[in-house]
Amino acid sequence: MKLGSPFRPRLLSALLISIFLGSAPATPAQERGELRIATSYKLMTLDPQYANLNENTSLLSHIYERLVYQDENLELKPGLATSWRPLSDTQWAFKLRDKVRFHDGSAFDADDVVYTIERIRDFLKPPSGGFRSYVSGIKAVSAPDPLTVLIETDGAVPNLPLFFSSLFVMNRPSKGFETTEDLNAGHPPNGTGPYRFESWSSGESLRLARNDDYWGGKPAWSKVTFRVIENPAARVAALSTGEVDVADAIPARDVASLKERGARVASVGAARVNFVQFDVARDTLPGVTDKSGEPIANPFKNPLVRRALTLATDRGILVDKILAGYGTAAAQVFPNGLPGTSANLLPEAPNYDEAKMLLAKAGFPDGFNLVLAGPAGRYPGDAESLQAVAQSWARIGVNAQPAAAPFSVFNTKRAAGDYGVWYGGTSGEAVDIILHALLASPDPGRGTGALNFGKYRNEAFDAMLARAESIAVGPERNAALAQATELVMADQPIIPLYHFHHIVGYGSRIGSYVLHPRGWTTAMQTLPAME
């Protein structure tokens, strides 16, 4: 059975890397008017530091920038910081880029970085999935001069620069901290990025205008309009008819027809994982019953049940049929070969006989009923994946009723505890970032478990992860992360399903579209066609 091909990072030229750092300078022949993008990403807030979701980080990256940038191989590159170095185990110095200005004309300096860190650490009260975990270990931050930031941490944080590759820098206001409500109510976003904010209609559109004073060069597009089209078929139709120039999250099944109609397609393996997650904390769960419909004790507390469902999951169907080969079967949080992954963890073919034996041993010889929740239209093949997983589980007597909903609805209900088991997905800057958020025990003080909605706890894993995170970036740290991953995946708190490939389609006005494994959709990745 084909379970997907190994992950192979794409290498980009220096010119294309410069696109990601900011915006490729436009030449007169390249310069165009409005760029129209159909996106699956529904921007939920104009606060760049509120929620760590791709729809926010992707779209707001036009307006705001980070100190450090992560390139297509997940290596760190200078952004608003030109260099950084550790002064000791608990001290770092960051040197900032000179002559950078915010959209309101004010100069960017170290005080803005201090404000950014303090706002995230001390002021914001975001939902799960916020950025506080990235700065929770920062004890003090200061600005000895306008272009230097000194950071003191509570303990050793050897990957602190990696954390800053996720944090957008905001301009310090004249007094106090800006609230999320104020930013959403009309305070114009004020960043240093290649595009300025024009207007936003929640769930419908985001309009941007070129920042002609951008430090990285004049952007190629004078205007950019993002149209939120959550339905994949509608995005494909908008691209096919020329209503938009770019459409993201193209379903693999539509690639051939798009090419027949003259569109071009770009794809890249995603630095992310889609998975099934279990609620292992509560005694009983909504939607989980015996075959007669009566509530039962939470079966997912038993690792034998979790293992049985893993063995009853056919990843090959997901990758080969639903994703049409635009994906890689998963056994851990990142595709094999990326830093911190384990070469020992490989996807398994289903074994229904063994799965039935494990269920019987766990006390469920006849199986049970459950509702399998998930988003519809957020990830490639998400609704179809729910159906496929349900069909696989039915072969061992577990009757799963798929319940797909728009992501905003699903996300709200999941956070409220309305589900007992669900399909989800997450991406991150590195393996340890995902392990820290998705599988580490929830601990607001340490900032762990922000995405651990199942409330899974494993003290041995927590200790191994903490040790790995204390090691400087390099082979030793990668090996420690791989060992921690092996330990936690043996307990099956989640079922890794696949690493899908990001697929973007584009029309005749576009010369090329450069994809990033983090799955961002930006105007900076879009080069105009040459005349």
Side-chain angles (χ1 to χ4, degrees):
M1 175 183 294
K2 177 185 174 185
L3 290 182
S5 57
F7 178 84
R8 294 183 176 88
R10 289 196 170 187
L11 300 178
L12 304 179
S13 67
L15 170 62
L16 298 185
I17 290 175
S18 75
I19 295 170
F20 288 122
L21 290 174
S23 180
T27 65
Q30 286 180 309
E31 193 170 318
R32 294 293 184 274
E34 183 181 14
L35 173 66
R36 305 160 301 168
I37 299 178
T39 182
S40 60
Y41 290 144
K42 181 179 179 180
L43 183 62
M44 296 183 174
T45 177
L46 292 178
D47 186 337
Q49 299 167 354
Y50 184 71
N52 189 7
L53 296 170
N54 244 16
E55 49 263 66
N56 295 326
T57 57
S58 179
L59 299 184
L60 293 179
S61 67
H62 296 79
I63 302 169
Y64 296 96
E65 295 183 290
R66 307 167 176 92
L67 290 180
V68 182
Y69 167 75
Q70 197 174 32
D71 72 10
E72 80 290 347
N73 291 320
L74 306 186
E75 300 291 342
L76 299 182
K77 303 294 181 182
L80 289 176
T82 57
S83 65
W84 49 89
R85 63 187 179 94
L87 304 178
S88 69
D89 286 345
T90 59
Q91 290 183 315
W92 286 81
F94 286 76
K95 292 294 183 180
L96 306 184
R97 194 175 297 278
D98 195 10
K99 299 179 181 178
V100 174
R101 293 196 170 274
F102 287 92
H103 296 161
D104 66 357
S106 59
F108 160 72
D109 62 25
D111 201 35
D112 300 305
V113 179
V114 173
Y115 169 77
T116 290
I117 293 171
E118 291 179 343
R119 182 175 187 266
I120 297 171
R121 185 191 62 188
D122 304 332
F123 177 71
L124 284 182
K125 305 293 182 184
S128 296
F131 293 96
R132 182 169 294 175
S133 62
Y134 296 97
V135 298
S136 59
I138 294 178
K139 181 179 180 180
V141 56
S142 60
D145 64 65
L147 297 179
T148 303
V149 176
L150 295 181
I151 293 174
E152 181 181 357
T153 59
D154 287 322
V157 186
N159 63 339
L160 186 67
L162 176 64
F163 290 169
F164 284 122
S165 71
S166 288
L167 305 180
F168 287 125
V169 176
M170 293 180 66
N171 182 222
R172 180 185 285 276
S174 58
K175 60 180 180 178
F177 293 103
E178 285 189 279
T179 68
T180 300
E181 292 75 19
D182 285 342
L183 288 168
N184 289 337
H187 285 202
N190 184 29
T192 60
Y195 290 92
R196 301 171 183 268
F197 173 83
E198 279 203 338
S199 66
W200 170 54
S201 179
S202 180
E204 296 180 9
S205 65
L206 174 68
R207 298 183 185 277
L208 306 166
R210 179 168 55 203
N211 176 15
D212 289 329
D213 297 323
Y214 181 57
W215 62 266
K218 187 177 180 181
W221 306 95
S222 60
K223 299 280 186 180
V224 178
T225 297
F226 282 91
R227 288 178 52 192
V228 178
I229 304 178
E230 294 187 90
N231 183 279
R235 287 195 303 277
V236 170
L239 178 61
S240 299
T241 60
E243 294 177 37
V244 298
D245 304 302
V246 175
D248 66 15
I250 297 295
R253 64 176 179 269
D254 293 317
V255 169
S257 63
L258 273 176
K259 289 181 177 179
E260 289 174 359
R261 296 178 223 171
R264 284 174 289 173
V265 171
S267 69
V268 69
R272 63 172 304 118
V273 65
N274 283 70
F275 53 86
V276 171
Q277 189 172 34
F278 305 103
D279 184 324
V280 299
R282 290 181 285 175
D283 293 332
T284 58
L285 298 174
V288 179
T289 70
D290 63 18
K291 289 300 183 67
S292 66
E294 293 298 318
I296 59 175
N298 182 354
F300 308 129
K301 287 188 173 186
N302 191 329
L304 294 178
V305 173
R306 303 196 297 267
R307 176 63 179 159
L309 292 173
T310 299
L311 286 173
T313 301
D314 191 342
R315 297 171 176 87
I317 288 178
L318 301 178
V319 170
D320 295 337
K321 302 299 183 182
I322 295 175
L323 298 179
Y326 284 92
T328 306
Q332 53 192 313
V333 298
F334 264 11
N336 286 27
L338 285 179
T341 57
S342 169
N344 298 322
L345 291 175
L346 300 173
E348 297 177 276
N351 187 329
Y352 299 108
D353 290 337
E354 184 178 349
K356 288 179 181 178
M357 291 174 56
L358 290 174
L359 269 189
K361 187 176 180 180
F364 300 97
D366 299 322
F368 50 88
N369 298 336
L370 60 84
V371 174
L372 178 60
R378 170 145 178 103
Y379 309 113
D382 48 15
E384 296 92 337
S385 293
L386 286 180
Q387 295 284 347
V389 170
Q391 290 170 11
S392 290
W393 289 358
R395 297 184 60 170
I396 64 169
V398 175
N399 296 330
Q401 177 186 343
F407 178 72
S408 57
V409 175
F410 164 77
N411 197 38
T412 299
K413 288 189 172 184
R414 179 179 60 179
D418 290 354
Y419 305 134
V421 55
W422 54 89
Y423 161 99
T426 188
S427 63
E429 304 84 346
V431 163
D432 54 304
I433 299 296
I434 294 186
L435 295 176
H436 191 92
L438 184 64
L439 297 175
S441 300
D443 185 339
R446 293 178 54 228
T448 57
L451 300 178
N452 186 351
F453 297 107
K455 302 297 186 289
Y456 172 75
R457 294 182 179 274
N458 185 327
E459 292 183 1
F461 168 68
D462 291 340
M464 290 184 71
L465 179 60
R467 176 187 172 275
E469 292 178 322
S470 71
I471 302 170
V473 174
E476 183 182 354
R477 179 189 182 94
N478 292 338
L481 288 170
Q483 291 172 1
T485 300
E486 291 171 10
L487 182 142
V488 74
M489 291 317 306
D491 203 26
Q492 304 286 178
I494 63 170
I495 303 176
L497 297 177
Y498 52 76
H499 314 286
F500 67 71
H501 293 180
H502 297 296
I503 308 175
V504 169
Y506 55 97
S508 60
R509 296 180 68 234
I510 309 304
S512 64
Y513 187 90
V514 183
L515 276 160
H516 192 283
R518 293 287 305 280
W520 298 319
T521 302
T522 75
M524 293 82 79
Q525 296 163 250
T526 311
L527 295 180
M530 300 292 290
E531 293 182 345

